[in-house]
Amino acid sequence: MIAAWAAVPLIACSPQSNNNDSATTQTEQVAETPNYVPHGWLAKTLPEIAAGIKAGEVTSEELVQSYIARINRVDWDGPTLQSVLSLNPNALADARAADAKRVRGETLGLLHGVPILLKDNIESKDLVATTAGALALKDNITGRDSPLVAGLRDAGAIILGKANLSQWANFRSNDSMSGWTALGGQVRNPHMLDRNPCGSSSGSGAGAAASMAAGTVGTETNGSVICPSNANGIVGFKPTVGLVSQQYIVPISSSQDTAGPMTKSVTGAAMMLNAMATGDAKTDYVAALDVDMLRGKRVGVLRYSQGRNNDVIEKFNAALKVLEDAGAVLVEIDERPEFPSDFGTSALNVLYYEFKSTLNEYLADTPDTVKTRTLSDVIAFNLDNADVELALYDQSIFDASEETTDLNDPVYTKARDSIQAATRAGGIDKLLADNNVDILVAPTGAPSSRIDPINGDVWPPFPGAGSMAAIAGYPHITVPAGTIHNLSVGFSFIGAKDEDAKVLSYGYAYEQLTNLRAEPQYLNSAEDLPDVAAAMRRKNFD
């Protein structure tokens, strides 16, 4: 049992000495406003930052110093977003090396010198643990890059550190709270600090929105790139499963897991995917972006998935009008695909089986410093450290997963085949073919609910079709569609298997016509809004 939380080291390196570095003023140009909105280079998108480095207007070293200072000032202090879990002690040296290479004319790629944060379930060879936010993995320093990280490095990216997340990628308890880890605490939504950052890639979403790095990497099993991108008001892209390697990522599901880029712009996401992708279908995603992509295309409007929130429906209809004005032909789809009656149970069982199998395989390959070598070991560890690990909720998902057998069990294979058939041939493929459409669109999700450490995640009915895309393993992009009471919502494009370049391009065309990304304002709650505050106060009508 760990007696004192303070005894647990959280940060791989302390950047406090950089707080007063002159680079901060060089890159941000002026001090931040009291509501922590950034200025200068840190306010820019990834493509703008990459172009600035290339033109010699800013150095990678200056950017890394300024991001570290901002993480100290805003993420770990100030509004205390807690979106960053650890910093890479090699980041400054790597940035200086990147600058020196550029001076010598040795450019590496589109991301040369660009600082990137990784979700802390993705391994990098730096002296930083890959923890999934769990005490059991606090010493998991593997010394190896996942293939996606190797690709980012080859393109010149600087690994700034690791983003906080929902512990074990939000697959520990049925009563969990998105964005909480034992190591990093609760991630907060920078638009409204008492609001849920959503999904397991919560730190990647909040960190990208709040300018803690030029871009971040998240992972998704069922909504964990898309939902935090919706909630934090950024672009999130979930690729076709298999396009980005799953190797050296703390796993949940071999059939659904994928990493994806999370950034302020579609071009930035495409630049990151160029570096991250290793699958056979890989192409140049930046070159494929086309502002006229919507012209003449038949767009399937998933009207059945628009939900009941009138504000969300209004944003959805406004986005559809943009598509129509751009020359798209809208095709209304009112009928939801028919799924088997046991679909929900089967979908969860697939994850239970795959989690036990893939996690046991992963843990067996960790360094000797990691003492938990199986899921059963982790369950026991959490019970021994219940004051920290089980302080807010249980490990009911771990327990259910541990009760499964292996991936040869007919119960598993039948469930997997059933849900994949329903979401692929009977789902997205059928919707595209039966309606003769090129792409499907839907609202991404609801405005973010409140963080609730007592009841866990409590969400309103959720619109959209993200779960269908996730289980099918098909590409899905969300692009900011504006705000509702200062909370961001997104607009989604979903396509067929391996149509990643097309899905990105549809998102790009919509983004270029709208530019609806909102800079976070760090409100404490909805009652910081004058109209909401007035409505909440008692009135005297005498």
Side-chain angles (χ1 to χ4, degrees):
M1 178 74 68
I2 292 176
W5 172 244
V8 182
L10 300 187
I11 306 304
C13 76
S14 175
Q16 298 288 343
S17 61
N18 293 312
N19 274 354
N20 297 317
D21 196 288
S22 61
T24 301
T25 56
Q26 293 174 24
T27 56
E28 293 204 12
Q29 299 176 2
V30 295
E32 289 164 334
T33 58
N35 64 356
Y36 304 102
V37 174
H39 296 268
W41 286 105
L42 299 197
K44 296 182 182 297
T45 65
L46 188 154
E48 293 170 326
I49 289 168
I53 296 172
K54 183 177 181 180
E57 297 169 357
V58 65
T59 67
S60 181
E61 179 181 1
E62 288 169 346
L63 285 165
V64 167
Q65 288 173 328
S66 290
Y67 280 123
I68 290 174
R70 181 165 172 81
I71 288 166
N72 273 283
R73 194 165 54 248
V74 178
D75 201 67
W76 297 344
D77 199 355
T80 320
L81 295 180
Q82 300 184 146
S83 69
V84 180
L85 188 54
S86 59
L87 290 173
N88 176 12
N90 301 322
L92 273 173
D94 291 346
R96 292 179 185 125
D99 290 334
K101 285 182 179 180
R102 187 171 290 284
V103 169
R104 295 194 300 267
E106 302 172 19
T107 55
L108 296 177
L110 291 177
L111 301 176
H112 190 124
V114 176
I116 299 292
L117 281 169
L118 307 173
K119 183 178 178 179
D120 195 26
N121 60 350
I122 302 170
E123 291 188 16
S124 70
K125 65 182 179 183
D126 310 294
L127 292 175
V128 183
T130 300
T131 71
L135 198 57
L137 295 184
K138 72 179 181 65
D139 297 318
N140 185 31
I141 300 176
T142 66
R144 59 194 182 191
D145 276 343
S146 62
L148 76 88
V149 176
L152 289 168
R153 285 194 207 274
D154 288 346
I158 306 301
I159 305 304
L160 184 61
K162 299 291 190 73
N164 202 3
L165 64 159
S166 302
Q167 192 182 73
W168 294 105
N170 221 7
F171 203 71
R172 197 196 84 186
S173 173
N174 291 304
D175 300 315
S176 68
M177 181 171 62
S178 292
W180 181 87
T181 64
L183 293 182
Q186 176 63 45
V187 179
R188 299 197 174 269
N189 189 318
H191 293 272
M192 199 172 287
L193 300 175
D194 70 340
R195 294 282 158 167
N196 199 309
C198 196
S200 73
S201 302
S202 48
S204 299
S211 301
M212 300 302 162
T216 64
V217 182
T219 65
E220 172 159 326
T221 303
N222 194 345
S224 287
V225 165
I226 296 302
C227 188
S229 297
N230 176 76
N232 292 282
I234 58 169
V235 171
F237 181 66
K238 186 203 80 71
T240 298
V241 170
L243 180 62
V244 177
S245 173
Q246 298 175 359
Q247 188 178 30
Y248 302 150
I249 300 175
V250 181
I252 293 177
S253 165
S254 51
S255 65
Q256 291 176 215
D257 284 354
T258 182
M262 302 171 71
T263 68
K264 294 179 180 179
S265 72
V266 177
T267 301
M271 291 168 68
M272 291 177 65
L273 190 63
N274 269 16
M276 294 164 57
T278 57
D280 293 340
K282 178 179 179 178
T283 188
D284 187 339
Y285 301 100
V286 177
L289 298 178
D290 181 2
V291 72
D292 291 322
M293 185 67 177
L294 292 163
R295 189 174 306 279
K297 299 298 192 302
R298 289 175 57 84
V299 174
V301 179
L302 300 185
R303 189 63 73 179
Y304 70 81
S305 72
Q306 70 179 9
R308 300 193 299 270
N309 183 309
N310 288 331
D311 292 324
V312 170
I313 294 170
E314 181 181 341
K315 297 295 182 186
F316 184 44
N317 287 334
L320 296 175
K321 181 67 164 57
V322 171
L323 269 55
E324 194 168 39
D325 289 347
V329 177
L330 304 184
V331 179
E332 296 279 330
I333 302 176
D334 297 318
E335 296 297 323
R336 185 183 303 272
E338 291 187 12
F339 287 177
S341 60
D342 62 349
F343 179 86
T345 300
S346 295
L348 189 55
N349 277 337
V350 167
L351 298 187
Y352 286 156
Y353 275 88
E354 291 184 347
F355 179 64
K356 179 181 178 180
S357 175
T358 57
L359 185 67
N360 283 347
E361 182 179 349
Y362 177 84
L363 290 173
D365 194 34
T366 54
D368 292 341
T369 51
V370 178
K371 304 306 179 185
T372 50
R373 313 303 294 180
T374 65
L375 173 58
S376 178
D377 291 344
V378 176
I379 291 171
F381 178 93
N382 289 345
L383 291 173
D384 288 343
N385 295 276
D387 57 333
V388 173
E389 282 292 339
L390 307 181
L392 293 178
Y393 51 83
D394 62 20
Q395 51 184 341
S396 53
I397 288 178
F398 277 15
D399 293 335
S401 185
E402 178 60 22
E403 291 175 3
T404 63
T405 55
D406 58 40
L407 300 189
N408 294 314
D409 190 325
V411 172
Y412 161 71
T413 55
K414 179 181 178 182
R416 181 200 60 200
D417 294 347
S418 173
I419 64 171
Q420 289 183 348
T423 55
R424 294 175 182 175
I428 293 173
D429 295 336
K430 181 175 176 60
L431 289 169
L432 290 167
D434 287 358
N435 295 282
N436 189 27
V437 294
D438 301 288
I439 193 74
L440 303 174
V441 297
T444 303
S448 183
S449 62
R450 281 182 171 174
I451 294 168
D452 189 342
I454 305 302
N455 297 304
D457 283 349
V458 180
W459 285 92
F462 218 74
S467 184
M468 183 167 61
I471 294 171
Y474 287 6
H476 179 182
I477 191 170
T478 178
V479 180
T483 61
I484 298 169
H485 299 299
N486 280 60
L487 293 170
S488 290
V489 292
F491 183 66
S492 283
F493 294 86
I494 295 170
K497 180 183 178 182
D498 293 330
E499 290 195 342
D500 299 76
K502 291 181 180 179
V503 172
L504 277 161
S505 193
Y506 282 114
Y508 175 76
Y510 169 74
E511 174 197 52
Q512 295 303 299
L513 293 168
T514 55
N515 292 306
L516 291 175
R517 184 182 67 84
E519 192 68 43
Q521 297 300 307
Y522 305 90
L523 302 178
N524 289 303
S525 72
E527 291 183 60
D528 280 355
L529 299 170
D531 58 335
V532 173
M536 296 289 282
R537 286 194 294 269
R538 177 177 175 175
K539 308 295 190 300
N540 185 353
F541 294 106
D542 293 338

